[in-house]
Amino acid sequence: MTDWYANAEFNKTHFLPDSCCQTVTLNCGSSMNVTTMWKDGCFDKMRDDFKQKMLIVGAIACCVAILQVIGIILACSLAHAIHKGYNVVS
C-alpha cells in the first residue's frame, strides 16, 4: 500500500487498485480500509521473495554446471579411447 502514495494516479483519485485488497472484489480499492489491504508493496514483496529464492536457484545452477563438466570429461575420455584404438591404414 505504501508504494501508491508516490503515484500520480493515486494522488488524483485516492483509490488503490483492486489488486491491493487481500480479497479482490470489484472496487474494493476505493474503500481504503487498511485492515483489508496488503501492508507490503508489490515491489518490496517481489524483491524479498527473489532474495529468499536466490540460494535455491544458485545451488541448482551449480549442480547443472558440475554435471556439464562431468559430461565434458566423459566425452573427452571417450574420444581419447576411440582415437587410441583407431588404426590408420596406409
Side-chain angles (χ1 to χ4, degrees):
M1 195 164 110
T2 56
D3 290 351
W4 286 99
Y5 290 119
N7 186 288
E9 188 64 30
F10 173 77
N11 288 328
K12 288 181 201 173
T13 63
H14 296 289
F15 293 155
L16 292 172
D18 292 342
S19 61
C20 290
C21 302
Q22 291 179 4
T23 304
V24 178
T25 57
L26 185 62
N27 295 325
C28 65
S30 63
S31 68
M32 293 293 293
N33 185 355
V34 293
T35 60
T36 61
M37 300 290 176
W38 293 112
K39 306 292 186 266
D40 298 329
C42 294
F43 178 77
D44 295 334
K45 187 72 171 162
M46 289 289 289
R47 184 187 60 218
D48 294 343
D49 287 348
F50 183 74
K51 284 181 180 179
Q52 289 177 350
K53 305 291 189 250
M54 279 307 296
L55 180 63
I56 295 169
V57 171
I60 291 171
C62 287
C63 289
V64 169
I66 290 170
L67 288 173
Q68 291 288 321
V69 170
I70 290 172
I72 291 169
I73 291 170
L74 291 174
C76 290
S77 175
L78 179 62
H80 178 71
I82 290 172
H83 181 68
K84 184 178 172 183
Y86 183 72
N87 293 326
V88 177
V89 179
S90 312

